[in-house]
Amino acid sequence: MTPRALEIAARPHPFRLAGPDSVALLVIDMQRDFLEPGGFGAALGNDVRRLQRIVPTVRLLLDAFRERGLPILHTKEGHRPALSDCPPAKRNRGAPGMRIGDVGPMGRILVLGEPGNDFVPELAPAPGELVVPKPGKGAFYRTGLDARLQALGVSQLLLAGVTTEVCVQTTMREANDRGYECLLIEDATESYFPEFKAATLEMVRAQGAIVGWTAPATAVLAAL
Ligand code: TIU
């Protein structure tokens, strides 16, 4: 009898793991710029405290992947100091004095290398984990992410991070179009808008997983 394939209890139906070498954890933008006061998220008028609640869950997932030696990638939204990779259309949407590149309490807002652009300390990448800086919302736009995943032999992505309907959903759609099977971990993602998070979870798994699957972290951890 062949052993039963490992499955994650997911919606709209179980997510079958292709194998230990095929799956990666993709942690999207768990940066001070989005989770702490004085960063980009706050400059856009958001209550950033909502996002902090997922930090322990993301940490549990990181620990589980680390213990098993499975690949982990961390994305980081940010721009070069000269803002050569920031379209004026993106910069101009911020309030004057609080735009991308302006100086805030954690350094220049959404600029790579600034203190506020770094990961929250609890979720700092460990040596050997890939960090993917990205100028856009999607992690495949102007990054080498696709090639890096292919080099690793990864065909399935478990997604965590912020914000659910912006960078996480954009990345999930980009990955889905590139042939990756994607599962969004429900309690390891958060939005400034609870209704947008709920709608995103519903829409990605609708129509027989049109964009992908969703599952709670406990189901992911049980399957690993
Ligand atoms: N504003 C907002 O909800 N999100 C972003 O600008 N970036 C990410 O989602 N990372």
Side-chain angles (χ1 to χ4, degrees):
M1 209 172 82
T2 51
R4 215 170 128 251
L6 273 178
E7 289 180 343
I8 298 174
R11 295 169 72 182
H13 47 76
F15 182 87
R16 185 167 297 195
L17 289 165
D21 301 327
S22 308
V23 63
L25 179 65
L26 184 58
V27 183
I28 306 288
D29 299 358
M30 290 300 287
Q31 299 163 247
R32 301 181 68 201
D33 252 319
F34 298 105
L35 276 78
E36 293 187 19
F40 182 58
L44 297 175
N46 297 303
D47 175 2
V48 296
R49 286 170 304 180
R50 276 197 63 78
L51 271 49
Q52 295 166 8
R53 67 181 69 186
I54 64 167
V55 169
T57 309
V58 177
R59 182 57 196 261
L60 278 177
L61 290 158
L62 284 171
D63 289 345
F65 268 68
R66 285 169 182 161
E67 279 167 23
R68 290 158 182 79
L70 298 171
I72 298 170
L73 300 96
H74 306 255
T75 71
K76 178 186 255 196
E77 183 178 349
H79 296 279
R80 295 185 194 135
L83 304 186
S84 54
D85 56 356
C86 181
K90 182 176 182 183
R91 182 163 194 266
N92 291 343
R93 261 173 276 176
M98 296 196 295
R99 291 181 178 151
I100 295 167
D102 291 340
V103 178
M106 296 192 291
R108 293 180 67 204
I109 293 171
L110 212 66
V111 170
L112 296 169
E114 296 289 333
N117 198 242
D118 207 350
F119 299 103
V120 295
E122 302 93 319
L123 306 179
E129 295 172 5
L130 292 174
V131 175
V132 183
K134 63 184 184 63
K137 303 306 180 194
F140 288 82
Y141 173 65
R142 292 180 70 177
T143 68
L145 179 57
D146 200 14
R148 295 178 102 165
L149 292 171
Q150 285 186 38
L152 289 168
V154 166
S155 61
Q156 297 184 318
L157 296 173
L158 307 188
L159 288 101
V162 297
T163 59
T164 314
E165 79 283 9
V166 183
C167 292
V168 176
Q169 184 176 200
T170 303
T171 298
M172 193 166 175
R173 290 175 180 275
E174 287 180 329
N176 185 52
D177 280 349
R178 284 164 176 78
Y180 297 92
E181 291 180 319
C182 298
L183 182 146
L184 176 53
I185 306 167
E186 295 161 6
D187 45 346
T189 185
E190 195 49 86
S191 168
Y192 301 121
F193 305 91
E195 66 276 26
F196 290 173
K197 172 178 174 176
T200 301
L201 295 178
E202 290 290 347
M203 74 176 79
V204 300
R205 66 188 174 216
Q207 306 181 62
I210 189 81
V211 180
W213 288 252
T214 80
T218 48
V220 172
L221 294 169
L224 291 179

